[in-house]
Amino acid sequence: MAQKRASKQTRKQRGVRNRSGAAPGPDAGTASVSRSRIGNWTLFGGLVLLTALVVFLDIRTGNDLRVVPLLVVVPALASVYCSLRQTVWVAVWITTVVVGFRAGADGTFWDFLFGIGFAVLACALGVAACAARIRHATEMARLRSAAVTLQRQILRPLPVVTGHVLAHGLYEPIEEDRFVGGDIYEVVESPYGTRVIIGDVQGKGLAAIGAGFAAIAAFREAAIREPTLTGVVEALEDAVVRHNVFSAQTGEAERFVTALVLGFDGSGRVEAVNCGHLLHDGRASAVTLHRTYVPLGLAGLSRESRAAESFAFPPGATLLVVTDGVTEARDTAGAFYPLDERVGAWAGRGPSELLDALRVDLEDFSGGVRRDDIAALALSHAPVGGGGRSEPTGEDALRVVAV
């Protein structure tokens, strides 16, 4: 039962992270675009009724107004909603009806030949349009699937559990057709504890993904290699600077990355370079970090070396870290989102429930209008006896006090 609840909760979190859900594979995408939106029997019934109605109207109007030839527009309509096979079947049906009607109608040979030729041409164009639509949609589905697969390599699905931390997350890029935006996060288990990063790349959309990927790739390597958290941050700085040098050479804009880097070693304290919110025992309190440094990529502008500081992280507590897509969200009057006021009401909830509440509240507060990517991580102590690898059970997640 616990495993079922954990599986359900995991799927729910992945749904929160991206509205579109899991990335479809190439075969699934190709099959979906070529599939008909109308059932065969529905199509057949509608076609019979339409044909009967048009023939009836044609008989009633007589030679004054011929209505049956207007049926040639039906294959064009079918090409938009039907599969290629269905469109061919509709074209054959309409051609047969029009030819049969013209054969029994009065008129010269040239009237007959022109009417039949026009019907065949219109039906053929409908079939060709359907084939072109499906071919184009298939190409787009393959491109989208490839793009999604690449983007999934940048940000891993949440939740993630290590030997020290259970990480739930909320992630919503501002661009609806993207799975990855300018916000980044990563959780890495290393010989020196669990290292976590959450950050915001300058700019939005695809243009910001390059710098974000450079930072994440460097973090994944440095988090395991560097014994100190400041060493990890220095490696991130070098990576962003190198990326900016390459960007300048290719004519792209240089970018910096604002980031919060955390280190968990199971000692009851957390090392950090920046800020977040901590909730414990049903109460919410801001974590005050006394040292704030320039963003990654801009260390050359400051003479001050980055250093880590620590704060308490007692058992049963959960740390909420967010990007400015949350703190700078605005309502219709232009007021900023009051995160400090809102989190206190959610202090008794588990990480996933808190992130759900945050997502819904942000949506209501902003009226559904987002101006930036949104990323939030709810970090709690790893479940006891979880081995550092398994998915958290429902009981483990719910016994966490807050974020």
Side-chain angles (χ1 to χ4, degrees):
M1 182 65 69
Q3 292 179 348
K4 290 183 178 179
R5 285 195 294 267
S7 177
K8 181 178 180 182
Q9 187 179 36
T10 301
R11 290 195 301 270
K12 183 178 180 181
Q13 281 298 310
R14 290 176 181 172
V16 169
R17 176 177 175 263
N18 279 308
R19 295 179 183 178
S20 302
D27 294 337
T30 301
S32 64
V33 298
S34 60
R35 190 179 301 120
S36 171
R37 304 177 192 175
I38 303 176
N40 290 332
W41 287 108
T42 301
L43 178 64
F44 176 76
L47 193 59
V48 169
L49 290 176
L50 177 62
T51 302
L53 177 62
V54 170
V55 170
F56 173 76
L57 291 176
D58 191 275
I59 293 174
R60 292 296 302 268
T61 56
N63 294 328
D64 296 334
L65 179 62
R66 292 301 184 185
V67 182
V68 168
L70 297 178
L71 286 173
V72 296
V73 303
V74 175
L77 296 176
S79 68
V80 178
Y81 301 101
C82 299
S83 65
L84 181 60
R85 178 178 299 180
Q86 289 178 328
T87 305
V88 170
W89 186 82
V90 170
V92 171
W93 172 278
I94 296 301
T95 302
T96 302
V97 171
V98 173
V99 169
F101 178 81
R102 297 294 292 180
D106 298 332
T108 65
F109 170 78
W110 293 109
D111 290 338
F112 173 79
L113 186 62
F114 177 79
I116 298 304
F118 180 76
V120 172
L121 177 61
C123 291
L125 289 176
V127 173
C130 180
R133 174 185 65 83
I134 292 176
R135 182 171 61 252
H136 176 72
T138 300
E139 292 175 356
M140 294 302 297
R142 288 174 177 170
L143 289 174
R144 177 174 173 78
S145 178
V148 168
T149 300
L150 290 175
Q151 292 176 39
R152 290 295 194 192
Q153 301 305 310
I154 300 177
L155 298 179
R156 72 167 77 189
L158 294 171
V160 172
V161 61
T162 70
H164 307 89
V165 173
L166 169 62
H168 288 261
L170 166 67
Y171 191 89
E172 293 187 353
I174 188 173
E175 299 185 39
E176 295 288 342
D177 60 341
R178 302 280 186 260
F179 283 83
V180 175
D183 288 356
I184 60 173
Y185 67 83
E186 184 56 287
V187 181
V188 175
E189 187 170 20
S190 77
Y192 313 103
T194 296
R195 270 77 184 267
V196 178
I197 184 174
I198 183 170
D200 184 5
V201 182
Q202 178 192 14
K204 302 179 181 66
L206 291 175
I209 292 179
F213 182 70
I216 289 179
F219 177 77
R220 288 169 177 166
E221 179 182 354
I224 297 176
R225 183 189 67 233
E226 299 293 336
T228 64
L229 199 64
T230 53
V232 175
V233 175
E234 290 172 1
L236 294 175
E237 172 69 25
D238 293 340
V240 175
V241 169
R242 288 194 300 269
H243 175 78
N244 283 336
V245 170
F246 177 78
S247 296
Q249 293 173 349
T250 57
E252 297 180 5
E254 299 182 13
R255 300 179 183 277
F256 60 82
V257 181
T258 57
L260 169 66
V261 182
L262 302 170
F264 299 81
D265 58 7
S267 64
R269 296 190 67 81
V270 180
E271 278 194 309
V273 182
N274 234 309
C275 68
H277 286 78
L278 183 69
L279 283 68
H280 184 53
D281 290 337
R283 299 187 304 273
S285 60
V287 176
T288 302
L289 297 183
H290 303 284
R291 299 169 182 170
T292 301
Y293 302 99
V294 295
L296 299 173
L298 300 180
L301 302 179
S302 174
R303 296 182 179 180
E304 185 180 13
S305 299
R306 294 185 177 100
E309 55 186 305
S310 65
F311 57 88
F313 187 49
T318 304
L319 180 68
L320 173 66
V321 290
V322 301
T323 61
D324 61 1
V326 176
T327 57
E328 296 183 5
R330 302 192 184 201
D331 61 12
T332 55
F336 288 108
Y337 181 69
L339 178 63
D340 293 341
E341 299 176 8
R342 302 300 177 93
V343 291
W346 306 325
R349 304 189 184 189
S352 61
E353 289 79 11
L354 178 131
L355 290 173
D356 285 344
L358 175 62
R359 176 180 57 83
V360 172
D361 194 51
L362 273 173
E363 188 80 10
D364 293 340
F365 179 83
S366 63
V369 177
R370 287 187 286 117
R371 297 174 175 83
D372 200 356
D373 303 313
I374 292 174
L377 293 179
L379 306 169
S380 58
H381 290 274
V384 178
R389 296 295 177 188
S390 62
E391 295 281 351
T393 65
E395 289 81 355
D396 288 330
L398 290 176
R399 69 190 179 97
V400 175
V401 175
V403 164

